[in-house]
Amino acid sequence: MDVRRADERYPGGDEAAGIASRHAFSFGPHYDPDNLRFGALLACNEERLAPGAGFDEHPHSHTEIVTWVVEGELTHRDSAGHETVVRAGDVQRLSSAGGVRHVERNDAAVPLTFVQMWLAPHEPGGEPAYEIVRGIADSTPYAVPQAGAMLHVRRLAAGERTAVPDGAYVYVHVVRGEVTLGGETLGAGDAARVTNAEALDAVAVRRAEVLVWEMAVP
């Protein structure tokens, strides 16, 4: 198990424009050849947008982009004609496939925090696709079959225990709160990369929200 702490994330964004980013993997101008991906996961970015701030239209291709809103509301618009507002508890997926452009903004009057994760599909190309699941429940895993991955959301009360899926690659990201995992204590923004996960439990030290990616061999 490889634990990466929140303060080890590479800072990005544009503070003057109201954008603060923290990258868990090699990303953009920050190139780290030893930290390019884990399983299918290429990026796990924590993004904070001030009211009125956002990312202007930009392109993506050959990437499955999954977004989890922590606080606030994310306005999404893309070149395939989708326009939605993503709220806390919703799972949004943009399959960029052969190419798509999109805009991400905070059009609300309060700050926005979200986690965006990029996964590599098994096959490049194809037609872009978009999906949003409103208010996903803990008992409902979200599948990204294009990348051989499954997202599990866990919301734990203090002292509550949950099993971590067995798998070739398991990525555990703590959104908020604090949990113990394999003898390590993980706080908000911390993550664990587990290879050949088996018989692991996460236990909430205090109320916590955790995102867990279960991934097959890429």
Side-chain angles (χ1 to χ4, degrees), residues 28-86:
H30 169 62
Y31 178 68
D32 182 351
D34 297 322
N35 190 26
L36 297 177
R37 65 186 288 173
F38 178 75
L41 199 60
L42 303 172
C44 180
N45 302 335
E46 292 184 330
E47 306 285 1
R48 292 174 172 80
L49 303 184
F55 300 99
D56 294 332
E57 187 176 78
H58 57 282
H60 288 282
S61 62
H62 315 308
T63 312
E64 300 294 318
I65 302 170
V66 178
T67 304
W68 178 261
V69 171
V70 181
E71 295 176 325
E73 297 182 346
L74 171 65
T75 297
H76 165 94
R77 293 189 296 274
D78 65 46
S79 54
H82 304 104
E83 183 168 351
T84 56
V85 175
V86 189

Short mmCIF file of all heavy atoms in Angstrom, two decimals, residues 28-86:
data_model
loop_
_atom_site.label_atom_id
_atom_site.label_comp_id
_atom_site.label_asym_id
_atom_site.label_seq_id
_atom_site.Cartn_x
_atom_site.Cartn_y
_atom_site.Cartn_z
N GLY A 28 -0.23 18.25 -16.61
CA GLY A 28 0.08 19.54 -17.22
C GLY A 28 1.56 19.85 -17.19
O GLY A 28 2.40 19.02 -17.57
N PRO A 29 1.93 21.03 -16.70
CA PRO A 29 3.35 21.42 -16.68
C PRO A 29 4.18 20.64 -15.67
O PRO A 29 5.40 20.66 -15.72
CB PRO A 29 3.31 22.92 -16.33
CG PRO A 29 2.03 23.09 -15.57
CD PRO A 29 1.06 22.12 -16.20
N HIS A 30 3.49 19.96 -14.74
CA HIS A 30 4.20 19.14 -13.75
C HIS A 30 4.36 17.73 -14.30
O HIS A 30 3.38 16.97 -14.35
CB HIS A 30 3.44 19.11 -12.43
CG HIS A 30 3.97 18.11 -11.45
ND1 HIS A 30 5.25 18.18 -10.96
CD2 HIS A 30 3.41 17.01 -10.89
CE1 HIS A 30 5.44 17.16 -10.12
NE2 HIS A 30 4.35 16.44 -10.07
N TYR A 31 5.57 17.37 -14.73
CA TYR A 31 5.82 16.05 -15.29
C TYR A 31 6.65 15.22 -14.33
O TYR A 31 7.75 15.61 -13.95
CB TYR A 31 6.54 16.16 -16.64
CG TYR A 31 6.87 14.81 -17.24
CD1 TYR A 31 5.85 13.97 -17.68
CD2 TYR A 31 8.18 14.37 -17.32
CE1 TYR A 31 6.13 12.72 -18.21
CE2 TYR A 31 8.49 13.12 -17.86
CZ TYR A 31 7.46 12.30 -18.30
OH TYR A 31 7.74 11.06 -18.81
N ASP A 32 6.09 14.09 -13.92
CA ASP A 32 6.78 13.17 -13.04
C ASP A 32 6.70 11.78 -13.67
O ASP A 32 5.66 11.12 -13.62
CB ASP A 32 6.13 13.16 -11.66
CG ASP A 32 6.83 12.24 -10.67
OD1 ASP A 32 7.73 11.49 -11.10
OD2 ASP A 32 6.47 12.27 -9.48
N PRO A 33 7.78 11.32 -14.31
CA PRO A 33 7.74 10.04 -15.02
C PRO A 33 7.45 8.84 -14.11
O PRO A 33 7.06 7.78 -14.59
CB PRO A 33 9.13 9.94 -15.65
CG PRO A 33 9.99 10.83 -14.83
CD PRO A 33 9.11 11.94 -14.38
N ASP A 34 7.64 9.01 -12.80
CA ASP A 34 7.38 7.92 -11.86
C ASP A 34 5.97 7.98 -11.28
O ASP A 34 5.63 7.18 -10.40
CB ASP A 34 8.40 7.97 -10.71
CG ASP A 34 9.83 7.75 -11.19
OD1 ASP A 34 10.01 6.91 -12.10
OD2 ASP A 34 10.73 8.42 -10.67
N ASN A 35 5.17 8.92 -11.76
CA ASN A 35 3.83 9.09 -11.19
C ASN A 35 2.83 9.42 -12.29
O ASN A 35 2.08 10.40 -12.21
CB ASN A 35 3.86 10.21 -10.13
CG ASN A 35 2.58 10.29 -9.32
OD1 ASN A 35 1.86 9.30 -9.17
ND2 ASN A 35 2.29 11.47 -8.81
N LEU A 36 2.81 8.58 -13.34
CA LEU A 36 1.97 8.86 -14.50
C LEU A 36 0.56 8.31 -14.36
O LEU A 36 -0.40 8.89 -14.87
CB LEU A 36 2.61 8.29 -15.77
CG LEU A 36 3.96 8.89 -16.16
CD1 LEU A 36 4.51 8.19 -17.40
CD2 LEU A 36 3.83 10.39 -16.41
N ARG A 37 0.41 7.18 -13.66
CA ARG A 37 -0.90 6.56 -13.53
C ARG A 37 -0.83 5.47 -12.46
O ARG A 37 0.23 5.04 -12.05
CB ARG A 37 -1.38 5.97 -14.85
CG ARG A 37 -0.54 4.81 -15.36
CD ARG A 37 -0.97 4.36 -16.75
NE ARG A 37 -2.25 3.67 -16.76
CZ ARG A 37 -2.88 3.31 -17.88
NH1 ARG A 37 -2.38 3.63 -19.07
NH2 ARG A 37 -4.03 2.66 -17.83
N PHE A 38 -2.03 5.02 -12.05
CA PHE A 38 -2.14 3.86 -11.18
C PHE A 38 -3.33 3.06 -11.68
O PHE A 38 -4.47 3.53 -11.64
CB PHE A 38 -2.35 4.29 -9.72
CG PHE A 38 -2.53 3.13 -8.79
CD1 PHE A 38 -1.44 2.34 -8.41
CD2 PHE A 38 -3.79 2.80 -8.29
CE1 PHE A 38 -1.61 1.26 -7.57
CE2 PHE A 38 -3.96 1.72 -7.45
CZ PHE A 38 -2.87 0.95 -7.08
N GLY A 39 -3.08 1.85 -12.17
CA GLY A 39 -4.15 1.13 -12.84
C GLY A 39 -4.63 1.94 -14.03
O GLY A 39 -3.83 2.42 -14.83
N ALA A 40 -5.94 2.12 -14.12
CA ALA A 40 -6.50 2.93 -15.20
C ALA A 40 -6.51 4.41 -14.87
O ALA A 40 -6.80 5.25 -15.73
CB ALA A 40 -7.93 2.47 -15.50
N LEU A 41 -6.21 4.77 -13.61
CA LEU A 41 -6.35 6.15 -13.15
C LEU A 41 -5.18 7.01 -13.59
O LEU A 41 -4.02 6.73 -13.29
CB LEU A 41 -6.46 6.16 -11.63
CG LEU A 41 -7.04 7.39 -10.96
CD1 LEU A 41 -8.47 7.67 -11.43
CD2 LEU A 41 -7.01 7.23 -9.44
N LEU A 42 -5.50 8.07 -14.34
CA LEU A 42 -4.49 9.00 -14.85
C LEU A 42 -4.40 10.29 -14.06
O LEU A 42 -3.38 10.97 -14.07
CB LEU A 42 -4.82 9.36 -16.31
CG LEU A 42 -4.94 8.22 -17.30
CD1 LEU A 42 -5.47 8.74 -18.63
CD2 LEU A 42 -3.60 7.54 -17.49
N ALA A 43 -5.50 10.66 -13.41
CA ALA A 43 -5.54 11.93 -12.68
C ALA A 43 -6.56 11.83 -11.56
O ALA A 43 -7.59 11.17 -11.68
CB ALA A 43 -5.90 13.09 -13.60
N CYS A 44 -6.24 12.49 -10.45
CA CYS A 44 -7.20 12.70 -9.37
C CYS A 44 -6.94 14.12 -8.87
O CYS A 44 -6.03 14.36 -8.08
CB CYS A 44 -7.03 11.67 -8.26
SG CYS A 44 -8.19 11.90 -6.88
N ASN A 45 -7.73 15.05 -9.38
CA ASN A 45 -7.51 16.48 -9.13
C ASN A 45 -8.53 17.02 -8.16
O ASN A 45 -9.73 16.84 -8.35
CB ASN A 45 -7.61 17.27 -10.44
CG ASN A 45 -6.64 16.80 -11.49
OD1 ASN A 45 -5.60 16.23 -11.17
ND2 ASN A 45 -6.96 17.04 -12.75
N GLU A 46 -8.06 17.70 -7.14
CA GLU A 46 -8.96 18.45 -6.26
C GLU A 46 -9.02 19.87 -6.78
O GLU A 46 -7.99 20.53 -6.91
CB GLU A 46 -8.43 18.43 -4.83
CG GLU A 46 -8.50 17.07 -4.17
CD GLU A 46 -8.05 17.11 -2.71
OE1 GLU A 46 -7.19 17.97 -2.37
OE2 GLU A 46 -8.53 16.30 -1.92
N GLU A 47 -10.23 20.33 -7.09
CA GLU A 47 -10.41 21.65 -7.69
C GLU A 47 -11.28 22.52 -6.80
O GLU A 47 -12.31 22.07 -6.28
CB GLU A 47 -11.08 21.52 -9.06
CG GLU A 47 -10.38 20.59 -10.04
CD GLU A 47 -9.10 21.18 -10.63
OE1 GLU A 47 -8.75 22.32 -10.26
OE2 GLU A 47 -8.48 20.51 -11.46
N ARG A 48 -10.86 23.77 -6.65
CA ARG A 48 -11.64 24.75 -5.89
C ARG A 48 -11.83 25.98 -6.78
O ARG A 48 -10.84 26.58 -7.22
CB ARG A 48 -10.96 25.11 -4.58
CG ARG A 48 -10.94 23.96 -3.59
CD ARG A 48 -10.13 24.27 -2.33
NE ARG A 48 -10.30 23.24 -1.32
CZ ARG A 48 -9.65 22.07 -1.32
NH1 ARG A 48 -8.76 21.82 -2.26
NH2 ARG A 48 -9.87 21.17 -0.37
N LEU A 49 -13.10 26.33 -7.03
CA LEU A 49 -13.41 27.48 -7.87
C LEU A 49 -14.18 28.52 -7.06
O LEU A 49 -15.19 28.20 -6.43
CB LEU A 49 -14.27 27.05 -9.07
CG LEU A 49 -13.71 25.97 -10.00
CD1 LEU A 49 -14.67 25.76 -11.17
CD2 LEU A 49 -12.33 26.34 -10.50
N ALA A 50 -13.71 29.75 -7.09
CA ALA A 50 -14.44 30.85 -6.47
C ALA A 50 -15.70 31.15 -7.27
O ALA A 50 -15.80 30.76 -8.44
CB ALA A 50 -13.54 32.08 -6.40
N PRO A 51 -16.69 31.81 -6.68
CA PRO A 51 -17.88 32.19 -7.45
C PRO A 51 -17.50 32.94 -8.72
O PRO A 51 -16.68 33.87 -8.69
CB PRO A 51 -18.64 33.08 -6.47
CG PRO A 51 -18.25 32.57 -5.12
CD PRO A 51 -16.80 32.20 -5.25
N GLY A 52 -18.06 32.51 -9.85
CA GLY A 52 -17.78 33.15 -11.13
C GLY A 52 -16.56 32.63 -11.85
O GLY A 52 -16.33 32.97 -13.01
N ALA A 53 -15.76 31.79 -11.19
CA ALA A 53 -14.54 31.26 -11.80
C ALA A 53 -14.84 29.97 -12.55
O ALA A 53 -15.87 29.33 -12.35
CB ALA A 53 -13.47 31.01 -10.74
N GLY A 54 -13.90 29.58 -13.42
CA GLY A 54 -14.10 28.33 -14.13
C GLY A 54 -13.06 28.09 -15.20
O GLY A 54 -12.15 28.91 -15.43
N PHE A 55 -13.21 26.96 -15.86
CA PHE A 55 -12.33 26.57 -16.95
C PHE A 55 -13.06 26.84 -18.27
O PHE A 55 -14.13 26.27 -18.52
CB PHE A 55 -11.98 25.09 -16.85
CG PHE A 55 -11.26 24.72 -15.57
CD1 PHE A 55 -11.95 24.15 -14.51
CD2 PHE A 55 -9.91 24.96 -15.44
CE1 PHE A 55 -11.30 23.81 -13.34
CE2 PHE A 55 -9.24 24.63 -14.27
CZ PHE A 55 -9.93 24.06 -13.21
N ASP A 56 -12.50 27.72 -19.09
CA ASP A 56 -13.11 28.02 -20.39
C ASP A 56 -13.08 26.78 -21.28
O ASP A 56 -12.44 25.78 -20.95
CB ASP A 56 -12.37 29.18 -21.06
CG ASP A 56 -12.55 30.49 -20.29
OD1 ASP A 56 -13.60 30.63 -19.62
OD2 ASP A 56 -11.65 31.34 -20.36
N GLU A 57 -13.74 26.85 -22.41
CA GLU A 57 -13.85 25.70 -23.28
C GLU A 57 -12.48 25.14 -23.64
O GLU A 57 -11.59 25.88 -24.07
CB GLU A 57 -14.61 26.07 -24.56
CG GLU A 57 -14.91 24.85 -25.43
CD GLU A 57 -15.74 25.18 -26.64
OE1 GLU A 57 -15.17 25.72 -27.62
OE2 GLU A 57 -16.96 24.91 -26.61
N HIS A 58 -12.33 23.83 -23.46
CA HIS A 58 -11.05 23.17 -23.74
C HIS A 58 -11.34 21.75 -24.21
O HIS A 58 -12.39 21.19 -23.93
CB HIS A 58 -10.15 23.19 -22.51
CG HIS A 58 -10.77 22.57 -21.29
ND1 HIS A 58 -11.70 23.21 -20.51
CD2 HIS A 58 -10.60 21.34 -20.73
CE1 HIS A 58 -12.08 22.43 -19.51
NE2 HIS A 58 -11.42 21.28 -19.63
N PRO A 59 -10.40 21.14 -24.94
CA PRO A 59 -10.65 19.83 -25.52
C PRO A 59 -10.19 18.67 -24.64
O PRO A 59 -9.28 18.83 -23.80
CB PRO A 59 -9.82 19.87 -26.81
CG PRO A 59 -8.64 20.73 -26.44
CD PRO A 59 -9.17 21.76 -25.46
N HIS A 60 -10.82 17.51 -24.85
CA HIS A 60 -10.36 16.25 -24.27
C HIS A 60 -10.54 15.17 -25.32
O HIS A 60 -11.42 15.28 -26.19
CB HIS A 60 -11.20 15.86 -23.04
CG HIS A 60 -10.95 16.69 -21.83
ND1 HIS A 60 -9.84 16.52 -21.03
CD2 HIS A 60 -11.66 17.70 -21.29
CE1 HIS A 60 -9.90 17.40 -20.03
NE2 HIS A 60 -10.98 18.12 -20.17
N SER A 61 -9.75 14.11 -25.20
CA SER A 61 -9.94 12.94 -26.05
C SER A 61 -9.36 11.71 -25.36
O SER A 61 -8.46 11.82 -24.52
CB SER A 61 -9.28 13.13 -27.42
OG SER A 61 -7.88 13.30 -27.28
N HIS A 62 -9.93 10.55 -25.68
CA HIS A 62 -9.44 9.26 -25.21
C HIS A 62 -9.31 9.21 -23.68
O HIS A 62 -8.32 8.68 -23.15
CB HIS A 62 -8.09 8.92 -25.86
CG HIS A 62 -8.05 9.19 -27.33
ND1 HIS A 62 -9.00 8.71 -28.21
CD2 HIS A 62 -7.20 9.93 -28.09
CE1 HIS A 62 -8.72 9.11 -29.43
NE2 HIS A 62 -7.64 9.87 -29.39
N THR A 63 -10.28 9.77 -22.99
CA THR A 63 -10.26 9.81 -21.53
C THR A 63 -11.68 9.68 -20.98
O THR A 63 -12.61 10.30 -21.52
CB THR A 63 -9.64 11.12 -21.00
OG1 THR A 63 -8.42 11.39 -21.69
CG2 THR A 63 -9.36 11.05 -19.52
N GLU A 64 -11.82 8.89 -19.91
CA GLU A 64 -13.08 8.84 -19.16
C GLU A 64 -12.94 9.79 -17.98
O GLU A 64 -12.06 9.59 -17.12
CB GLU A 64 -13.36 7.41 -18.68
CG GLU A 64 -13.48 6.38 -19.78
CD GLU A 64 -14.71 6.61 -20.66
OE1 GLU A 64 -15.79 6.92 -20.11
OE2 GLU A 64 -14.58 6.49 -21.89
N ILE A 65 -13.78 10.82 -17.93
CA ILE A 65 -13.65 11.87 -16.91
C ILE A 65 -14.82 11.76 -15.94
O ILE A 65 -15.98 11.95 -16.33
CB ILE A 65 -13.62 13.26 -17.57
CG1 ILE A 65 -12.45 13.34 -18.57
CG2 ILE A 65 -13.49 14.35 -16.52
CD1 ILE A 65 -12.49 14.57 -19.44
N VAL A 66 -14.52 11.46 -14.69
CA VAL A 66 -15.55 11.29 -13.66
C VAL A 66 -15.38 12.39 -12.62
O VAL A 66 -14.27 12.61 -12.11
CB VAL A 66 -15.45 9.90 -13.00
CG1 VAL A 66 -16.50 9.75 -11.89
CG2 VAL A 66 -15.63 8.80 -14.05
N THR A 67 -16.49 13.06 -12.30
CA THR A 67 -16.44 14.22 -11.41
C THR A 67 -17.35 14.00 -10.21
O THR A 67 -18.50 13.56 -10.36
CB THR A 67 -16.86 15.49 -12.16
OG1 THR A 67 -16.01 15.66 -13.30
CG2 THR A 67 -16.74 16.71 -11.26
N TRP A 68 -16.83 14.34 -9.03
CA TRP A 68 -17.58 14.24 -7.77
C TRP A 68 -17.55 15.61 -7.09
O TRP A 68 -16.48 16.12 -6.74
CB TRP A 68 -16.93 13.20 -6.85
CG TRP A 68 -17.58 13.05 -5.51
CD1 TRP A 68 -17.17 13.61 -4.33
CD2 TRP A 68 -18.75 12.30 -5.22
NE1 TRP A 68 -18.01 13.24 -3.31
CE2 TRP A 68 -19.00 12.43 -3.82
CE3 TRP A 68 -19.63 11.53 -5.98
CZ2 TRP A 68 -20.08 11.82 -3.20
CZ3 TRP A 68 -20.70 10.92 -5.35
CH2 TRP A 68 -20.92 11.07 -3.98
N VAL A 69 -18.72 16.23 -6.93
CA VAL A 69 -18.81 17.54 -6.27
C VAL A 69 -18.83 17.35 -4.76
O VAL A 69 -19.61 16.56 -4.22
CB VAL A 69 -20.05 18.31 -6.75
CG1 VAL A 69 -20.26 19.56 -5.91
CG2 VAL A 69 -19.90 18.69 -8.22
N VAL A 70 -17.98 18.09 -4.07
CA VAL A 70 -17.91 18.03 -2.61
C VAL A 70 -18.82 19.09 -2.00
O VAL A 70 -19.64 18.80 -1.12
CB VAL A 70 -16.46 18.24 -2.13
CG1 VAL A 70 -16.37 18.16 -0.61
CG2 VAL A 70 -15.53 17.22 -2.79
N GLU A 71 -18.70 20.31 -2.49
CA GLU A 71 -19.53 21.43 -2.01
C GLU A 71 -19.77 22.38 -3.17
O GLU A 71 -18.89 22.60 -4.00
CB GLU A 71 -18.84 22.18 -0.87
CG GLU A 71 -18.65 21.36 0.40
CD GLU A 71 -17.87 22.11 1.46
OE1 GLU A 71 -16.96 22.87 1.11
OE2 GLU A 71 -18.19 21.91 2.65
N GLY A 72 -20.97 22.96 -3.22
CA GLY A 72 -21.30 23.92 -4.25
C GLY A 72 -21.95 23.26 -5.45
O GLY A 72 -22.47 22.14 -5.38
N GLU A 73 -21.92 23.96 -6.59
CA GLU A 73 -22.55 23.49 -7.82
C GLU A 73 -21.61 23.72 -9.00
O GLU A 73 -21.07 24.81 -9.16
CB GLU A 73 -23.87 24.23 -8.07
CG GLU A 73 -24.93 24.01 -7.00
CD GLU A 73 -26.23 24.72 -7.33
OE1 GLU A 73 -26.22 25.60 -8.23
OE2 GLU A 73 -27.24 24.43 -6.68
N LEU A 74 -21.47 22.69 -9.83
CA LEU A 74 -20.62 22.76 -11.01
C LEU A 74 -21.50 22.83 -12.26
O LEU A 74 -22.32 21.94 -12.50
CB LEU A 74 -19.72 21.53 -11.08
CG LEU A 74 -18.90 21.34 -12.37
CD1 LEU A 74 -17.88 22.46 -12.53
CD2 LEU A 74 -18.22 19.98 -12.38
N THR A 75 -21.33 23.88 -13.06
CA THR A 75 -22.03 23.99 -14.33
C THR A 75 -21.17 23.38 -15.42
O THR A 75 -20.01 23.76 -15.60
CB THR A 75 -22.34 25.46 -14.67
OG1 THR A 75 -23.21 25.99 -13.66
CG2 THR A 75 -23.02 25.57 -16.02
N HIS A 76 -21.75 22.42 -16.15
CA HIS A 76 -21.05 21.73 -17.23
C HIS A 76 -21.75 21.99 -18.56
O HIS A 76 -22.97 21.86 -18.66
CB HIS A 76 -21.04 20.22 -16.96
CG HIS A 76 -20.67 19.39 -18.16
ND1 HIS A 76 -19.38 18.99 -18.41
CD2 HIS A 76 -21.42 18.91 -19.20
CE1 HIS A 76 -19.36 18.29 -19.54
NE2 HIS A 76 -20.58 18.23 -20.04
N ARG A 77 -20.97 22.35 -19.58
CA ARG A 77 -21.48 22.48 -20.95
C ARG A 77 -20.47 21.84 -21.88
O ARG A 77 -19.26 22.03 -21.70
CB ARG A 77 -21.69 23.95 -21.34
CG ARG A 77 -22.79 24.66 -20.58
CD ARG A 77 -23.08 26.04 -21.17
NE ARG A 77 -21.95 26.94 -21.05
CZ ARG A 77 -21.70 27.68 -19.97
NH1 ARG A 77 -22.50 27.61 -18.91
NH2 ARG A 77 -20.66 28.49 -19.94
N ASP A 78 -20.94 21.09 -22.88
CA ASP A 78 -19.99 20.47 -23.80
C ASP A 78 -20.46 20.60 -25.25
O ASP A 78 -21.61 20.97 -25.53
CB ASP A 78 -19.71 19.01 -23.42
CG ASP A 78 -20.92 18.10 -23.54
OD1 ASP A 78 -21.63 18.17 -24.55
OD2 ASP A 78 -21.14 17.30 -22.61
N SER A 79 -19.55 20.27 -26.15
CA SER A 79 -19.80 20.46 -27.58
C SER A 79 -20.77 19.43 -28.14
O SER A 79 -21.20 19.54 -29.29
CB SER A 79 -18.47 20.39 -28.35
OG SER A 79 -17.78 19.18 -28.06
N ALA A 80 -21.16 18.44 -27.33
CA ALA A 80 -22.16 17.47 -27.75
C ALA A 80 -23.57 17.92 -27.37
O ALA A 80 -24.53 17.19 -27.59
CB ALA A 80 -21.87 16.10 -27.15
N GLY A 81 -23.68 19.13 -26.78
CA GLY A 81 -24.99 19.70 -26.47
C GLY A 81 -25.49 19.46 -25.07
O GLY A 81 -26.64 19.82 -24.75
N HIS A 82 -24.69 18.92 -24.19
CA HIS A 82 -25.13 18.69 -22.81
C HIS A 82 -24.86 19.93 -21.96
O HIS A 82 -23.79 20.54 -22.06
CB HIS A 82 -24.39 17.50 -22.20
CG HIS A 82 -24.53 16.24 -23.00
ND1 HIS A 82 -23.52 15.76 -23.79
CD2 HIS A 82 -25.59 15.40 -23.14
CE1 HIS A 82 -23.92 14.65 -24.38
NE2 HIS A 82 -25.18 14.40 -24.02
N GLU A 83 -25.81 20.28 -21.14
CA GLU A 83 -25.65 21.39 -20.18
C GLU A 83 -26.34 20.98 -18.89
O GLU A 83 -27.56 20.78 -18.87
CB GLU A 83 -26.22 22.68 -20.72
CG GLU A 83 -26.00 23.86 -19.77
CD GLU A 83 -26.29 25.21 -20.40
OE1 GLU A 83 -26.49 25.26 -21.63
OE2 GLU A 83 -26.31 26.20 -19.66
N THR A 84 -25.58 20.82 -17.82
CA THR A 84 -26.12 20.36 -16.56
C THR A 84 -25.48 21.12 -15.40
O THR A 84 -24.42 21.73 -15.54
CB THR A 84 -25.87 18.85 -16.35
OG1 THR A 84 -24.47 18.60 -16.44
CG2 THR A 84 -26.61 18.01 -17.36
N VAL A 85 -26.12 21.02 -14.25
CA VAL A 85 -25.56 21.50 -12.99
C VAL A 85 -25.35 20.28 -12.10
O VAL A 85 -26.29 19.53 -11.83
CB VAL A 85 -26.48 22.52 -12.31
CG1 VAL A 85 -25.92 22.91 -10.95
CG2 VAL A 85 -26.65 23.76 -13.18
N VAL A 86 -24.11 20.06 -11.70
CA VAL A 86 -23.74 18.90 -10.90
C VAL A 86 -23.62 19.34 -9.45
O VAL A 86 -22.93 20.31 -9.14
CB VAL A 86 -22.41 18.28 -11.38
CG1 VAL A 86 -22.16 16.95 -10.69
CG2 VAL A 86 -22.41 18.13 -12.90
#
